[in-house]
Amino acid sequence: MSNKKLILGIAAGVAALAVTGIILKRKGKLDGLSDKASRFGSDVKDRFNNIKESAKHKFDEVVTKGGDIADNIKQSQQGKTTAATSTGSTANPGAKGVTNPATA
């Protein structure tokens, strides 16, 4: 496509939009268009803010639950370590100092 055809195409598009704008303005179709656009923009902004707040709340919940789970796992591992050191070894239940409560 040559530059001349491109320029003619762009000029024709601009002319068509200008004619359409003039016709719509005379018929009153453009009255209040900026108000409608402004309301639509504020609605979209409010919805986005609601979604953002909801996502923050869910993220905080997940972080809290993850921390609780990590604490529970850490306490469980510390409990196993404490039990293993207090009884000597969990691998050999017959070790010295370890008595079986069922036989005692």
Side-chain angles (χ1 to χ4, degrees):
M1 182 181 256
S2 68
N3 287 338
K4 187 176 181 180
K5 288 183 181 180
L6 180 66
I7 293 171
L8 285 174
I10 291 173
V14 169
L17 284 175
V19 170
T20 304
I22 291 169
I23 291 170
L24 289 175
K25 187 168 183 163
R26 285 188 180 175
K27 288 187 175 186
K29 300 289 184 181
L30 295 180
D31 296 340
L33 185 64
S34 63
D35 294 335
K36 289 178 185 177
S38 176
R39 279 184 276 159
F40 178 73
S42 65
D43 288 345
V44 169
K45 185 177 179 181
D46 291 342
R47 288 181 185 172
F48 176 74
N49 285 334
N50 289 341
I51 291 170
K52 187 171 79 170
E53 290 299 319
S54 176
K56 281 183 182 180
H57 181 69
K58 290 287 185 183
F59 178 77
D60 290 341
E61 283 181 14
V62 169
V63 168
T64 303
K65 286 182 182 180
D68 292 343
I69 291 170
D71 290 342
N72 289 341
I73 290 172
K74 189 181 288 186
Q75 289 175 355
S76 174
Q77 288 176 347
Q78 287 175 350
K80 287 179 183 178
T81 304
T82 304
T85 57
S86 67
T87 59
S89 173
T90 57
N92 186 4
K96 293 184 179 180
V98 177
T99 59
N100 187 348
T103 59

